[in-house]
Amino acid sequence: MMCVTLTADCCGLYAVPRTSTAPQCVPFPLCLLTRQQGGICCIIRRPGTRALLQSESCSTIMALNIPGVSVMMFFYLLVLGIGIWASIKSKREAKKGRGDKTEMALLGNRGINLVVGIFTMTATWVGGGFIVGTAEAVYNPSMGLIWAVMPISATMCFIIGGLFFAEPMRNNKYVTMMDPFQIKYGKVPTAALSLASLISEIMWVTGTLIGLGVTMSVILDLSYTVSIWISAAVAITYTLMGGLYSVAYTDIIQLILIFISLWLCVPFAMMSPAVVDITETAFNSTFQSPWVGTLEADRAWRWIDNFLLLGLGNLGLQNFHQRTLSASSSATAKITCFAAAFIVPSLGIPPILLGAVAASTNWNLTSYGPLSPIERGEMGLILPIVLQYLTPTYISIIGIGAVAAAVMSSTDSALLSAASIFTSNIYRNILRTQASEQEIQWVIRCSVVVVGLAGTSLTFLDNSVLMIWMLRSDLTYTLMLPQIVCVLFFKISNAYGAILGCVIGMLLRVLCGEPLLRIPPLIKFPGCTLVNGVYIQQSPIRTICMLSAVVSILLFSYLASVLFNKGLISEKWDVFNVKVQYSSQPQDDAKYDTKEENLKEQNENNEACEPMLESTC
């Protein structure tokens, strides 16, 4: 225990309210670092808490890393400049064409070529959550490398997406992933599912920004709050100005920076005097449990559940489908997916190695010690801690650039995806069907800003990237994935089944409990154990909920069609026109095809007015 005194006003970069002037004792593990000044120790709470305790005799608390901040400002200006250039280029090209500016902003005129498509698909996935979360999983003694499944699960996502989803979505010329729901189910069910999709995109923004906030606050001594809001403002600005064109062009420079910066940091961290050979600690308990991790028999189902969650769950994201829908052809969309399936895992290797380095470090030999990040409860900060204390200053600044690039490449994609769904499927098709083109453009801009503000605000709830990533994937896996699978591949599905399947899937998921949200399980599957006062489900509960939702959608869709078609329920109660849809299979096929043709015709009439990225595959 160390005694300190609460200050009466603002100090450093953290505001401290006047609460007390009496000496207070603060447990040392709660503090991130200490500074000695004149024999009096200043204690700074970990980033994200927005609270600071210090001795009254301390005059300087945090020394801002001026060179690091300068480099980051240069990077932000570079990215912003590229976004502005893309915006100007698109406007010049727009004068040569004619068509719908909405589709131009959201899908880049469906003219994204193969090379740019691979860059933007890869950069979207390799975000702050991907980099920081992978390192955190490897370092976590209860997890380890075997549980860091994000890189390899992305491969499964892209391969399945390329084989089954890319071609039908691109060939039908949908604007968003919610368009098939609009065609088949109508406005009300689509609006409800669109809201769920919006929430998942907002959580994507939150997870990526947390990764940057914790990194900059540790390495640059810059406020967690300031770091996040500056980064969000830059991403919002160039997304507003150029739409998908700005996103695609900036993704190129961001992905190049990610690749070079991460690989440059690895050898410096591994050569630190405080780090032992990672091959020695891979299977031996040197400073902590082996970083490779273990997979006990009673946890095997949980591992499978997490793997499917992080892999298949992403197929329920507009982020993924927006990249395939903007491709110049269905063949380009498929090849883009297959290429990203091999590139994304390779970008997961550096954070894996940095997590292994952290597990192989004697923290007593660093200025961070004597307590390890595990003992201080700072596992979520492990990547920036490694860069700060195990690499030279200039290398840690370069590492910051990698995380910043990854964050903005994912954040801008999520902003545009959320704006696409709200504008196309809620505002234009439900709220204001006769909205003018200029009005829609303003709705897109406002949507980007609102989603950005909402996602940024949520970063102050928790600083664990891994937790946010898991919760977001949980939502898309158990709710959105069953819906999009059924609407695309099962003609029997209808709005009644979709609504009841959604309710049953969500209800079952809540009843299974969630330790991250402190929700106790009411349904305890075999193997459910009590660990430290918290019930842990060892069964693959998320996959069970997902499959239950699929079965429910198909079952209730079939029951609804039987009840209405056989007259067991009066036709006047058929609010979703199931009887018309299923009066006979030929009529059903004709009606469905007619709806698709109508949407295709609408999209073709609304073709974007300029090919921003003119080259084709």
Side-chain angles (χ1 to χ4, degrees), residues 275-607:
V275 179
V276 302
D277 191 340
I278 63 173
T279 60
E280 296 179 8
T281 58
F283 301 98
N284 300 310
S285 299
T286 305
F287 304 112
Q288 62 177 66
S289 302
W291 60 265
V292 170
T294 58
L295 183 60
E296 299 85 0
D298 59 346
R299 301 176 70 193
W301 282 114
R302 286 180 60 196
W303 186 93
I304 294 173
D305 201 29
N306 287 342
F307 182 80
L308 295 175
L309 168 75
L310 294 173
L312 298 180
N314 290 324
L315 294 173
L317 276 173
Q318 167 67 9
N319 257 342
F320 171 80
H321 297 288
Q322 190 164 44
R323 295 301 173 273
T324 60
L325 291 172
S326 63
S328 57
S329 67
S330 59
T332 300
K334 294 174 69 173
I335 297 174
T336 297
C337 293
F338 297 145
F342 294 97
I343 298 176
V344 171
S346 67
L347 293 172
I349 296 176
I352 287 175
L353 293 176
L354 293 174
V357 165
S360 308
T361 300
N362 183 353
W363 294 101
N364 287 320
L365 301 180
T366 69
S367 58
Y368 180 84
L371 298 178
S372 70
I374 297 175
E375 295 169 309
R376 297 187 182 187
E378 303 292 346
M379 287 186 292
L381 305 174
I382 194 59
L383 180 66
I385 289 175
V386 167
L387 296 177
Q388 171 72 355
Y389 294 96
L390 301 181
T391 66
T393 302
Y394 64 93
I395 294 297
S396 65
I397 294 173
I398 293 175
I400 277 284
V403 177
V407 165
M408 286 200 288
S409 67
S410 294
T411 301
D412 55 18
S413 301
L415 293 174
L416 195 60
S417 296
S420 301
I421 291 177
F422 178 79
T423 303
S424 180
N425 300 109
I426 297 179
Y427 192 85
R428 193 173 202 173
N429 289 332
I430 298 176
L431 300 179
R432 288 271 295 169
T433 56
Q434 302 299 322
S436 66
E437 191 61 42
Q438 185 177 5
E439 181 180 346
I440 292 298
Q441 291 297 308
W442 278 106
V443 171
I444 293 175
R445 297 186 184 101
C446 293
S447 300
V448 169
V449 174
V450 171
V451 172
L453 294 176
T456 306
S457 301
L458 291 177
T459 58
F460 305 104
L461 296 180
D462 195 277
N463 69 348
S464 173
V465 174
L466 196 60
M467 189 200 82
I468 297 295
W469 191 289
M470 294 291 289
L471 290 178
R472 188 265 306 162
S473 298
D474 203 329
L475 176 63
T476 57
Y477 183 57
T478 58
L479 179 60
M480 294 307 301
L481 179 64
Q483 297 290 345
I484 196 166
V485 167
C486 290
V487 77
L488 287 179
F489 304 111
F490 295 93
K491 288 189 175 181
I492 194 175
S493 65
N494 56 47
Y496 297 104
I499 293 174
L500 292 173
C502 178
V503 172
I504 290 175
M506 291 180 61
L507 180 61
L508 183 60
R509 183 65 189 91
V510 172
L511 293 177
C512 289
E514 178 50 64
L516 294 176
L517 298 179
R518 296 181 176 86
I519 300 177
L522 297 180
I523 299 177
K524 298 177 183 177
F525 289 92
C528 183
T529 56
L530 186 64
V531 179
N532 297 326
V534 178
Y535 281 100
I536 303 297
Q537 300 269 22
Q538 302 296 345
S539 300
I541 55 173
R542 298 178 181 90
T543 301
I544 292 173
C545 294
M546 184 271 291
L547 294 176
S548 299
V550 172
V551 172
S552 300
I553 293 171
L554 299 179
L555 176 61
F556 287 110
S557 294
Y558 174 75
L559 290 176
S561 65
V562 170
L563 291 174
F564 286 114
N565 285 322
K566 294 193 177 221
L568 299 177
I569 297 180
S570 175
E571 185 178 351
K572 68 179 181 179
W573 298 105
D574 185 11
V575 295
F576 297 125
N577 298 320
V578 168
K579 184 172 182 179
V580 175
Q581 182 179 354
Y582 291 101
S583 58
S584 65
Q585 188 62 39
Q587 291 176 2
D588 170 65
D589 293 341
K591 181 175 181 180
Y592 188 74
D593 292 340
T594 299
K595 283 186 173 182
E596 287 200 337
E597 289 300 324
N598 290 338
L599 184 69
K600 289 180 187 178
E601 182 179 353
Q602 177 185 351
N603 290 335
E604 288 169 357
N605 291 336
N606 293 336
E607 220 29 74

Side-chain angles (χ1 to χ4, degrees), residues 85 89 107-122 170 244-245 248-249 251-252 322-337 339-340 610-617:
W85 170 81
K89 181 179 184 298
L107 295 177
N109 197 37
R110 301 188 194 272
I112 302 297
N113 63 41
L114 180 60
V115 175
V116 177
I118 292 174
F119 268 100
T120 189
M121 178 73 86
T122 304
R170 179 61 182 84
L244 187 67
Y245 289 141
Y249 276 116
D251 278 348
I252 296 175
Q322 190 164 44
R323 295 301 173 273
T324 60
L325 291 172
S326 63
S328 57
S329 67
S330 59
T332 300
K334 294 174 69 173
I335 297 174
T336 297
C337 293
E610 105 272 6
M612 279 188 172
L613 307 170
E614 293 179 350
S615 55
T616 57
C617 175

Side-chain angles (χ1 to χ4, degrees), residues 147-225:
W147 289 87
V149 297
M150 283 185 285
I152 193 65
S153 65
T155 298
M156 180 180 66
C157 170
F158 289 128
I159 291 177
I160 294 178
L163 289 175
F164 301 105
F165 290 86
E167 186 171 2
M169 294 288 286
R170 179 61 182 84
N171 284 344
N172 286 315
K173 293 188 177 181
Y174 297 135
V175 176
T176 73
M177 63 174 281
M178 303 308 299
D179 283 352
F181 297 93
Q182 193 90 38
I183 295 170
K184 197 171 185 180
Y185 297 163
K187 296 180 179 180
V188 176
T190 302
L193 293 174
S194 296
L195 291 176
S197 184
L198 283 175
I199 293 174
S200 67
E201 298 294 347
I202 292 174
M203 293 180 69
W204 182 287
V205 173
T206 301
T208 55
L209 287 176
I210 287 176
L212 180 61
V214 297
T215 305
M216 293 180 70
S217 60
V218 172
I219 296 179
L220 302 183
D221 276 343
L222 189 62
S223 166
Y224 177 83
T225 305

Side-chain angles (χ1 to χ4, degrees), residues 62-80:
M62 302 182 72
L64 192 63
N65 189 331
I66 301 299
V69 173
S70 301
V71 171
M72 290 307 302
M73 291 301 296
F74 171 77
F75 167 72
Y76 281 162
L77 291 175
L78 175 64
V79 172
L80 187 59

